[in-house]
Amino acid sequence: MRKKGGYIVAPNHHPDTEWGYVFRDNVITAPGDAIETQVFLGRPWHAQPKVAFINTKAEVTVYPEGWRNHMGGLPTLFAEYGTTDWQGHRLDLSHRCSRYWVENEQKDTIWCTSKAVITADEAALYTVENVLSGTDGWQPRQVMTSCPQPVVGIVGKYLIWQPVADAVGYVVTVNGQTKRFTTDCRTPYNKKNTYRVQSVSRWGALSR
């Protein structure tokens, strides 16, 4: 929201944090003419933060150094891969900050070096499975999986369809407005209206 000098992240990660904040296949934008907004990717709030921006499209203007080099922590990783401008042109990352400092209680200055750019091989490790599975093997892609779409026909004054495997219900939209949540495989029909029927998975994902 700030036109100049804002930050996207200000992380505070424990030294044992494996991945930190991961932004992959994302877009950074801002109100109005986004390119007029000048922003830092982040600043090290406390401890030993980790952040990776991968395949980011920057519709805003990211400062050449990318990151603020001083706050309350020393980053383990503040890095990017494949960042582009709004037209898809690769940004020059050679000026990204890689040296950070803090002052301790004795007012001594402590410096660290953090890699600013990761390789394609390193970026490839930042998958949903690697980053989010954790110790319990959680697979969030299952939550995002939708059921097949219903095949809808007309019988008299009803739209009808066969039950869809693994669907817990159906959403019926009439003229662009959601009108029904149903477990039935039919809904009243009027030829003057435009209908859309979608199946709903157990996690709430909608079909085509």
Side-chain angles (χ1 to χ4, degrees):
M1 300 300 292
R2 186 188 302 173
K3 283 295 183 182
K4 292 184 178 181
Y7 312 89
I8 295 174
V9 296
N12 170 17
H13 289 120
H14 189 273
D16 293 337
T17 300
E18 184 173 5
W19 299 101
Y21 292 164
V22 179
F23 298 83
R24 181 165 189 140
D25 303 325
N26 60 108
V27 178
I28 304 171
T29 191
D33 188 350
I35 200 171
E36 294 178 354
T37 296
Q38 301 176 54
V39 66
F40 291 98
L41 296 175
R43 61 184 182 183
W45 179 236
H46 283 301
Q48 298 178 34
K50 288 184 176 180
V51 183
F53 281 87
I54 300 169
N55 300 332
T56 298
K57 179 188 287 187
E59 295 180 350
V60 298
T61 297
V62 179
Y63 289 108
E65 60 269 41
W67 312 83
R68 281 299 300 270
N69 70 343
H70 171 63
M71 200 64 192
L74 295 174
T76 302
L77 183 74
F78 270 10
E80 298 165 78
Y81 173 79
T83 308
T84 70
D85 64 15
W86 64 279
Q87 293 178 313
H89 302 135
R90 288 287 184 100
L91 293 184
D92 178 8
L93 305 181
S94 63
H95 300 290
R96 290 298 198 245
C97 180
S98 61
R99 291 275 288 163
Y100 298 85
W101 64 277
V102 294
E103 285 186 349
N104 62 18
E105 294 179 356
Q106 292 73 39
K107 299 300 181 182
D108 298 321
T109 300
I110 302 172
W111 290 85
C112 84
T113 299
S114 174
K115 180 187 293 189
V117 181
I118 58 177
T119 67
D121 288 342
E122 289 170 325
L125 297 175
Y126 287 82
T127 63
V128 169
E129 291 75 16
N130 286 344
V131 175
L132 297 181
S133 61
T135 58
D136 60 359
W138 182 49
Q139 295 298 323
R141 288 191 192 276
Q142 295 176 359
V143 179
M144 297 154 34
T145 301
S146 59
C147 299
Q149 67 189 57
V151 178
V152 180
I154 302 171
V155 176
K157 296 183 178 180
Y158 290 93
L159 295 180
I160 64 168
W161 56 91
Q162 291 296 315
V164 174
D166 299 323
V168 296
Y170 307 91
V171 176
V172 179
T173 302
V174 182
N175 298 328
Q177 295 186 340
T178 301
K179 291 296 185 180
R180 290 192 71 197
F181 298 94
T182 180
T183 56
D184 293 334
C185 290
R186 70 176 191 172
T187 192
Y189 169 71
N190 184 324
K191 65 181 180 180
K192 295 180 180 180
N193 297 322
T194 301
Y195 294 81
R196 181 174 64 192
V197 181
Q198 295 170 277
S199 59
V200 184
S201 77
R202 60 180 293 191
W203 294 286
L206 295 177
S207 71
R208 294 175 62 86

